[in-house]
Every structure is written in C-alpha cells, then in structure tokens.
Amino acid sequence: MSRRTSLTIVLAAGEGTRMRSATPKVLHQVAGEALLAHVLKAAPNGDGASLAVVVGPDHAAVSDEAKRVRPDAATFVQRQRLGTAHAVLAARDAIAGGADDLLIAFGDTPLISAATFERLRQPLRDGATLAVLGFRPADPTGYGRLLVEDGRLAAIREQADASSAERAIGLCNAGVMAFDGRRVLAILDKIGNANSKGEFYLTDAVAIVRDLGLEAIVIETGEDEVRGINTKAQLAEAEAVMQARLRRAALDAGVTMIAPDTVFLAADTTFGNDVTIEPFVVIGPGVSIADGAVIHAFSHLSQATIGKNASVGPYARLRPGTALGEGARIGNFVETKAAIIDAGAKVNHLTYIGDAHIGAAANIGAGTITCNYDGFGKHKTEIGAGAFVGSNSSLVAPVTIGAGAYIGSGSVISRDVPSDALAVARGQQSIRDGWAKRFREAKTRGKTKTAK
Ligand code: UD1
Ligand code: MG
C-alpha cells in the first residue's frame, strides 16, 4: 500500500464565551490536558503527516499550546469569524502544499481518536472525494443533518436552514471530514455564504462534491467520541467519558483498582506491572508509576515518578518534581516537591520535603520540615544515604546532612552536619526532682480553701 501524505487542519478560533472564562475554550482541560492537545495528539503524526491550527486573532496562548504539543504545527490566524469554510481557508498556504489527504477537525472535540482519523481516510484510498464523520446524537438539535440519497451523502443541512422534515433526520455531522487533497481547494473556493447566518459553511462542500459528479460518503461513530465542548457542563461530561476510558485502559493494562470510579487519572499517566491504586486517588499530569508500586487511598500526585515497589500515602501529596526510588516509602500527611528520594528511603509521617535530595535508606522522622524558602528564594536540602533525621526537626536550607549522620529529635539544623556525626540543636532538658508533686499539692490546698 502506497503511503499517502496528510495535512490535518484543526479549527480553534472559537470565542468560548459560553464557558464564562477568560481562558480560550480550547485551552480548558480534560484529564489534565488542553482540549486542543487531545485533538492534536489524535491527528495523524509522523512521516508524511503535517498539521495546521487555525486560531483567533488574540489567541497567542492557543498557538503556543499547539506548538508545545506538536512542534511541527503551523498556525494561521482567522481575523474575522466568517464560518467554518472561511476558517479552513485561513490555512490556504498549508493546503496549497498539496498533501494527498486533507483532514479537518475541531479543537473543541477532545474525545476523537486516532483510529477514527484513519477510518475517514480509507474511503479516499478507495476513490471518494470527501468522507464525513457522522453520528446519531440523543438530541440532534443544533447539528448539521446528513442528507443521504441512494446510499450516498448528498448534502449537509445546518439546523438554521433545515426544513422540518430535514430536522427530523437523526444522522448528524460530527464536524470531522477528510478531503481528497488534490481537489479540496477548488471545492472550498466554490463555497458561498448565502444562508441564514451569512457564514461560509464547510458543510456546503458535500453538495458541491455531489454536483461535480464526485463521491461523498459518511463514516459513523458513537456520540461519545464527537462531543463538542461549549459549556462547563459539557466539559465535565467529556471529563467523565475520558476518565472512564483511562480507568478502563489502566485496568486492561493490569493495574489493580479497588474502586476505579473514585480514581482520577491523567491522559499521560503510565503504569508498570502490578501497580495498585486504592480508592480516592487523584493523579495529575506527568506521573509514571513503576512495577509493584502502591498508591494508597486519598493521595494526590502530579509530575511525579514513582519507583518500583514504592509506597505512597494514604493521604500523601506528591507535587511536581518528586521522584521516588525503588522501595521508597511516603506515608500519611507527607508533602513533597522537587524532591529526589532514593531507594529505600522512608518519609512516613507528617512531613514536608521540598527542594531536597534524600539518599538511599535514609529515615526522615515524623514532623520533619525542610525550610526551603526564606521569603525570597528557594534553597536545597541534601541528606546523605542512611542518615537518620529525628522527629520534629527543621532543616534550614541550604543545608547538607552527611551520609549516616544522626539528627536529634526536635533540632533546628542550620549548619551542615558531617557524615556519621550526631547533631542536636534544641533546648537543654532540665530535671527538678519532686517538682510536679509539690505543685499538685500546693494547687490542691488552694482549691479546698476557695471551695469552703
Ligand atoms: C458545525 C457544523 C455542523 C456540525 C457541528 C458539529 C458547519 C457550518 N457546521 O456547527 O454541521 O453538526 O459543527 O459540532 O461547519 N470555527 C472557526 N472559525 C469560524 C467558525 C467556526 O474557527 O469562523 C471553529 C469553531 O471554533 C469550532 C468549529 O469551527 O471549533 C465549529 O464551529 P461552530 O460555530 O461550533 O459550528 P457549529 O454551529 O457547532
Ligand atoms: Mg459547535
């Protein structure tokens, strides 16, 4: 099979006002990733695949996100919002590059899959000029209806222009299309704006293809894959669909989850073998969990690497830049940030470890705090392998505790501690024999007097 080149154009010039947000619509997130990023990742990638994103005039942030996800993406600005065909033509220079297949997708449809893009390209190989992704929504109101005659797609009628008979049609346009790249410019240039909205409708391409005696066909998919996001409620619905998919994929990959519906994953979460995730765990972007690790209940992780057989939580918060070595243990009410915690180290209770490196098999006692911030800058704490930090110690960074050193409980450590040394930095203990007894007796005498 000869490989066909492709250009995918993603339309992302949405105004997004119904989101009631200062953030452009396509930068809202599902499973820890922008709506646009999901679409760009599903679009054909690799050899022979190119990508263009059409953005609105003030949306530099949208272009930046496109470049971050797909550095090969070209961006084009649609200065006036004159319709979907007009938006596609904003990328005319990219289209003129002459890819075999031209794919069009919307930036606000994050659940679209790579397989669907490939399904749409197949009819082009078989000689069709246009393939349109169709679906049968529970409520078709607002969508373009697909008019099929003699098994062929004859036209798409937008809701505003449809007769009542056409509005009764359940098969709708999902918005994703694949065109024969050799013919697409001629077709798009024929599209006018004589309709009730005065917009240049991409959907008019279907009737033009038919009038040219060429073939347009429909490929159907399920509603879940083509949900478009216009409101916060729809964003939450898409999140639910995506979470269900991610949980299912994790279970299929062998992750043990006692209550999967309570676990939230990110699109890029990766798992080794025999990972266990207990209920009510939230995993943000950039997390990888290696073989045999256990994430206990009510933990929150983002941008963290969990080593083999490591244990996290319950009630742990692992913030960006956390990396746990093999068998490391993070216990309850522990917060970590930019913390490299080597193999076998233990941080088991009520502790903050930030901007720190903890050597292998070190033991960090309950209530230890790395004092990493002085109000101006962040400073580093270095703890050597096998060191023992007694409970309730404050480690005032920058500070280094040598390998095998011992820190007495309750110390405030502000100077470096050599390897294998003991450092104690706290008030001296004094003992007064019998004091408590005398105190109690004096108090009791006073009480009996006043009671009389
Ligand atoms: C469009 C389709 C409709 C389909 C529906 C699926 C057309 C004319 N209609 O309708 O058949 O059922 O999507 O959701 O194509 N955009 C721009 N610039 C513009 C106009 C739109 O970039 O000038 C982008 C939007 O940001 C959005 C996409 O194109 O991502 C679709 O535009 P929208 O206005 O949502 O079209 P619909 O009315 O939903
Ligand atoms: Mg829409």
Side-chain angles (χ1 to χ4, degrees), residues 30-32 238-251 254-267 269-271 275-285 287 289 293-301 312:
V30 161
E239 181 76 49
V241 172
M242 184 65 86
Q243 288 298 335
R245 274 190 198 172
L246 293 171
R247 289 169 191 143
R248 183 62 211 227
L251 292 166
V255 174
T256 299
M257 287 191 274
I258 299 154
D261 289 351
T262 67
V263 172
F264 291 82
L265 302 169
T269 311
T270 65
F271 305 99
V275 166
T276 298
I277 304 182
E278 290 187 355
F280 301 102
V281 167
V282 177
I283 297 182
V287 172
I289 305 175
V294 180
I295 314 298
H296 294 280
F298 298 101
S299 294
H300 188 291
L301 291 71
V312 173

Side-chain angles (χ1 to χ4, degrees), residues 178-348:
F179 282 90
D180 176 343
R182 286 166 305 165
R183 302 191 192 265
V184 66
L185 267 182
I187 294 165
L188 294 177
D189 281 331
K190 287 194 168 69
I191 293 175
N193 63 350
N195 52 55
S196 57
K197 284 194 186 167
E199 284 190 4
F200 294 88
Y201 286 162
L202 180 61
T203 45
D204 285 352
V206 174
I208 293 167
V209 166
R210 188 224 19 217
D211 292 348
L212 290 170
L214 300 167
E215 191 184 14
I217 70 136
V218 187
I219 298 283
E220 274 195 56
T221 190
E223 183 171 15
D224 273 350
E225 203 189 349
V226 291
R227 284 170 188 275
I229 313 290
N230 289 314
T231 63
K232 290 285 170 72
Q234 289 168 340
L235 184 68
E237 284 164 16
E239 181 76 49
V241 172
M242 184 65 86
Q243 288 298 335
R245 274 190 198 172
L246 293 171
R247 289 169 191 143
R248 183 62 211 227
L251 292 166
D252 288 348
V255 174
T256 299
M257 287 191 274
I258 299 154
D261 289 351
T262 67
V263 172
F264 291 82
L265 302 169
D268 63 353
T269 311
T270 65
F271 305 99
N273 297 321
D274 288 310
V275 166
T276 298
I277 304 182
E278 290 187 355
F280 301 102
V281 167
V282 177
I283 297 182
V287 172
S288 69
I289 305 175
D291 298 355
V294 180
I295 314 298
H296 294 280
F298 298 101
S299 294
H300 188 291
L301 291 71
S302 61
Q303 287 170 45
T305 306
I306 312 304
K308 280 187 184 172
N309 300 319
S311 172
V312 173
Y315 298 98
R317 180 170 182 215
L318 272 47
R319 292 170 51 203
T322 297
L324 305 187
E326 188 167 345
R329 302 182 70 84
I330 300 294
N332 41 230
F333 307 107
V334 171
E335 175 181 350
T336 63
K337 186 219 67 172
I340 313 293
I341 298 173
D342 289 347
K346 293 183 199 160
V347 188
N348 273 336

Side-chain angles (χ1 to χ4, degrees), residues 11 13-14 78 81-84 87 106-108 143-144 158 173-174 201 203:
L11 304 189
Q78 184 195 23
R81 208 171 181 281
L82 300 180
T84 44
F106 296 163
D108 64 357
Y143 290 109
E158 290 306 303
N173 173 29
Y201 286 162
T203 45

Side-chain angles (χ1 to χ4, degrees), residues 12 19 58 72 146 178 213 225 281 284 336 353-354 375 396 426:
M19 301 294 272
D58 307 320
D72 61 322
L146 301 186
E225 203 189 349
V281 167
T336 63
I353 300 293
V396 183
R426 64 186 181 213

Side-chain angles (χ1 to χ4, degrees), residues 352 354-355 368-375 377-383 389 393-401 407 411-417 425:
Y352 172 60
D355 300 300
T368 298
I369 305 290
T370 53
C371 309
N372 59 328
Y373 185 51
D374 57 13
K378 301 282 168 67
H379 305 284
K380 217 185 150 190
T381 300
E382 179 75 38
I383 299 175
V389 177
S393 293
S394 300
L395 310 176
V396 183
V399 71
T400 296
I401 293 162
I407 307 297
S411 290
V412 176
I413 300 295
S414 53
R415 283 182 289 135
D416 290 354
V417 179

